[in-house]
Amino acid sequence: MDHITFLVAVVIVTALAFDFTNGFHDTANAMATSIATGALKPRTAVLISGVLNVVGAFLSTEVAKTISGGIVDDTLVSPAMIFAGLVGAILWNLLTWLLGLPSSSSHALFGGLIGAVWVGAGSGGVHFDKVVEKILVPAVASPLVAGVAALLATYLAYRLTARARKESVTKGFKAGQIASASLVSLAHGTNDAQKTMGVITLTLISAGALGHDAGPPVWVIASAGLSIGLGTYLGGWRIIRTMGKGLTDIQSPQGFAAEAASTTVILTSAHLGFALSTTQVCSGGILGAGLGRRLAEVRWGMAGRMVIAWLVTLPAAALVGGVSASVVKHGGNLGTAVIALAALAVATGIVFASRRNPVHAHNVNDTHEVTLRNAAPADVRTAA
């Protein structure tokens, strides 16, 4: 425990705070379609998702090893750099949550770390070949694979049930959605909770508390799982609304197809150690499911805004991480305190801004877009 300095402790707490934001930011990945179709009540959905996220955290550590010893050189990384990278990731998560944009928490984390390490240790501290192999290639391929799989599954689902009673089909697929959404939650814990495990493990390696190439200790696995599970239970209702109602008018067969496709892609990548974005996978699955149903409306404007957010996430988080690393590098403990206070002030401002137009379990299915108006127009209030 001699290696656990005050700075290391701060970094661990900050990593768990990121994991918490990752949980409520990504609840929509597993439960948005089930909530939108009425397969699960909102509070029941986030409770199931939170519990299974914790369980999933214990199933694999391959992604954690990719982060702790893959994308950056752990011999050149310091706890201060990791802290700066986490600041970039947390602020981006909160900003996109405020806007209701399902951006990638994973890419926010990767971007923050890459920017911080690049500034703090030079370009040699980043393994760009691994970044391309383990992050960028999966980022492009995974939503396409999930989208095509969901499109085909949706088409088959409607073809096979074309002569069945609509009420029976809806009831059956809603029951199936409970299972498929649960599997997405389990897969999410297996993939996303590991990213925080990897960050904490990287911190402990850089501080000399663990040997190089070490895997995450049990207490790291448990704390990361509990943090993401708690964040999931509180529910990122703003993003749930966007994914459940913003991309397409989803029905239960589509929801089942999207969730089944997403689960397959996420679990496969977790087994192979690819740290992909579950947000991108699930969004691709939902879009594919929308395209797979004849006459379904796909809101391409919202899809376009999401893609822009995906493209901007990694460089934006890298920029914040790099600036934070520069302040910490030149300012020492004072610089670390300045960045921590500035991040806390921005985070507090975002939380207060979200209260202008609150989204919660009772209104998550009301409309498909999140805005920042102080009050809804009279015609919208009347229609609701």
Side-chain angles (χ1 to χ4, degrees), residues 340-364:
L341 291 174
L344 183 60
V346 173
T348 302
I350 290 174
V351 171
F352 275 109
S354 72
R355 295 183 177 179
R356 297 178 181 177
N357 182 31
V359 183
H360 43 72
H362 300 296
N363 68 357
V364 67

Side-chain angles (χ1 to χ4, degrees), residues 142-156 257-258 260-262 264-265 284-285 288-289:
S142 58
L144 293 177
V145 172
V148 171
L151 186 154
L152 294 174
T154 299
Y155 175 78
L156 288 173
S262 299
T264 303
V265 173

Side-chain angles (χ1 to χ4, degrees), residues 18-27 29 85-86 88-90 92-94 96-97 101-112 188 192 195-196 228 239 275-280 310 313-314 317:
F18 164 78
D19 207 24
F20 177 82
T21 67
N22 191 166
F24 74 71
H25 197 279
D26 288 4
T27 310
N29 297 346
L86 287 167
I90 290 172
W92 184 255
N93 264 1
L94 290 174
T96 50
W97 164 74
L101 283 175
S103 68
S104 171
S105 297
S106 304
H107 289 179
L109 176 61
F110 301 147
H188 183 267
D192 276 42
K195 292 159 188 172
T196 297
I228 200 169
I239 298 176
L276 54 70
S277 165
T278 54
T279 299
Q280 292 181 0
W310 294 353
T313 292
L314 197 146

Side-chain angles (χ1 to χ4, degrees), residues 92-297:
W92 184 255
N93 264 1
L94 290 174
L95 177 61
T96 50
W97 164 74
L98 174 68
L99 298 175
L101 283 175
S103 68
S104 171
S105 297
S106 304
H107 289 179
L109 176 61
F110 301 147
L113 287 176
I114 290 169
V117 173
W118 197 342
V119 169
S123 59
V126 181
H127 297 155
F128 289 102
D129 57 333
K130 291 294 183 181
V131 171
V132 172
E133 175 190 352
K134 297 288 189 178
I135 298 174
L136 297 184
V137 171
V140 174
S142 58
L144 293 177
V145 172
V148 171
L151 186 154
L152 294 174
T154 299
Y155 175 78
L156 288 173
Y158 280 106
R159 284 296 299 270
L160 293 173
T161 60
R163 297 183 179 181
R165 292 178 57 195
K166 183 177 180 180
E167 294 78 8
S168 300
V169 171
T170 299
K171 183 178 180 180
F173 276 108
K174 281 185 177 181
Q177 274 194 275
I178 297 174
S180 60
S182 298
L183 285 174
V184 175
S185 296
L186 189 70
H188 183 267
T190 303
N191 194 282
D192 276 42
Q194 288 191 59
K195 292 159 188 172
T196 297
M197 295 179 209
V199 169
I200 296 176
T201 302
L202 179 61
T203 303
L204 295 173
I205 291 173
S206 68
L210 291 176
H212 295 296
D213 298 323
V218 174
W219 69 266
V220 172
I221 297 173
S223 59
L226 289 172
S227 295
I228 200 169
L230 180 60
T232 300
Y233 174 69
L234 291 180
W237 302 112
R238 307 175 82 83
I239 298 176
I240 289 175
R241 172 183 283 183
T242 299
M243 290 186 71
K245 293 292 185 180
L247 290 174
T248 184
D249 294 317
I250 202 157
Q251 297 180 354
S252 55
Q254 295 168 281
F256 178 80
E259 290 160 357
S262 299
T263 300
T264 303
V265 173
I266 295 168
L267 287 178
T268 301
S269 69
H271 176 71
L272 297 174
F274 292 122
L276 54 70
S277 165
T278 54
T279 299
Q280 292 181 0
V281 171
C282 294
S283 299
I286 292 172
L287 282 173
L291 293 171
R293 177 167 69 91
R294 186 182 179 187
L295 302 179
E297 177 189 3

